[in-house]
Amino acid sequence: GAVVSQHPSRVICKSGTSVKIECRSLDFQATTMFWYRQFPKQSLMLMATSNEGSKATYEQGVEKDKFLINHASLTLSTLTVTSAHPEDSSFYICSARDRTGGITNEKLFFGSGTQLSVL
Amino acid sequence: RKEVEQDPGPFNVPEGATVAFNCTYSNSASQSFFWYRQDCRKEPKLLMSVYSSGNEDGRFTAQLNRASQYISLLIRDSKLSDSATYLCVVKQGGSGSRLTFGEGTQLTVNP
């Protein structure tokens, strides 16, 4: 079964509204989670690295005030797309890092993704 | 130059064919390499890690050439269910776990 749960799987919203996407690690603690965005026929692009208990690290070109990340617990990170516009329509995927077996045996698990459509 | 570059594709092959995908990466300090497969509008799923000695998993064989910064994936006896996009993924060194994805190569296996 899934070890990372991402919700919602699909959301359609009006321009100007905010959308929150949740990413949960189900049976391990994830101090670090990653948020990606994927446009049609393009690669997954890392948006930001979410660190539990501290500020997220954003990739160049990603607006931190527009894409708010909160990682308040060891099993939950949220991405909020604020004041969404049609150009924000994309597939958003999270991944969580599992270091239960140590750094050298770390695994990355992906959520099932969220398809955001902004009208 | 992109950090990870793949064959543009798409590849359309008949069932039973052998197909090979190529990938190059630009950062010589990259330490780990993977092939993922992604179905349409789904999350990527790890297909296999790639080791310098080359490794095989059933019908899938992966090769790594560090000197040329080149990675390959060979699929033998392709099945309809192999139809997907194959992503070449590179992980940088250190503890950051940062993955860099290629744009993917789309494969369609036809009956």
Side-chain angles (χ1 to χ4, degrees):
Chain A
V3 295
V4 173
S5 172
Q6 183 173 344
H7 290 283
S9 58
R10 185 175 182 87
V11 59
I12 301 172
C13 68
K14 292 182 179 180
S15 186
T17 59
S18 294
V19 174
K20 181 186 283 190
I21 303 169
E22 292 188 349
C23 183
R24 292 180 185 273
S25 57
L26 298 182
D27 56 3
F28 65 94
Q29 293 182 333
T31 55
T32 303
M33 293 186 180
F34 303 91
W35 287 97
Y36 297 85
R37 179 169 53 183
Q38 186 178 32
F39 292 106
K41 298 190 184 300
Q42 293 188 24
S43 181
L44 276 75
M45 296 300 295
L46 181 64
M47 298 175 66
T49 301
S50 171
N51 303 298
E52 187 269 335
S54 65
K55 291 183 179 180
T57 304
Y58 289 81
E59 295 299 305
Q60 191 173 8
V62 178
E63 300 174 56
K64 65 180 191 310
D65 294 330
K66 181 169 180 62
F67 298 99
L68 301 179
I69 291 173
N70 185 288
H71 194 155
S73 81
L74 286 170
T75 58
L76 174 65
S77 175
T78 61
L79 168 68
T80 301
V81 183
T82 62
S83 187
H85 288 105
E87 56 265 32
D88 298 324
S89 299
S90 186
F91 190 55
Y92 293 84
I93 307 177
C94 70
S95 72
R97 185 170 74 187
D98 180 5
R99 284 187 166 175
T100 306
I103 293 177
T104 55
N105 292 316
E106 71 175 35
K107 296 180 174 63
L108 285 176
F109 297 98
F110 285 86
S112 55
T114 298
Q115 182 64 49
L116 171 64
S117 299
V118 185
L119 304 178
Chain B
R1 182 185 172 189
K2 294 176 185 174
E3 288 187 60
V4 180
E5 294 203 59
Q6 293 185 240
D7 281 343
F11 284 59
N12 284 280
V13 303
E15 261 188 297
T18 295
V19 59
F21 301 140
N22 301 316
C23 171
T24 57
Y25 59 96
S26 62
N27 187 342
S28 59
S30 301
Q31 296 198 352
S32 304
F33 310 90
F34 311 90
W35 283 100
Y36 278 73
R37 84 168 262 168
Q38 185 178 26
D39 295 288
C40 188
R41 296 182 187 272
K42 301 283 187 184
E43 74 276 22
K45 294 187 177 175
L46 179 64
L47 181 64
M48 58 197 305
S49 301
V50 188
Y51 303 114
S52 296
S53 55
N55 49 300
E56 187 175 306
D57 182 3
R59 297 180 294 107
F60 299 85
T61 302
Q63 297 277 356
L64 166 66
N65 184 321
R66 286 187 182 270
S68 304
Q69 295 179 202
Y70 168 87
I71 307 160
S72 67
L73 175 68
L74 184 76
I75 304 176
R76 291 182 300 278
D77 188 24
S78 52
K79 312 290 185 191
L80 297 177
S81 56
D82 294 333
S83 298
T85 296
Y86 289 83
L87 304 171
C88 177
V89 183
V90 172
K91 181 177 168 183
Q92 308 308 321
S95 60
S97 290
R98 180 197 174 107
L99 297 181
T100 302
F101 288 79
E103 291 194 352
T105 303
Q106 187 177 346
L107 171 66
T108 301
V109 180
N110 302 302

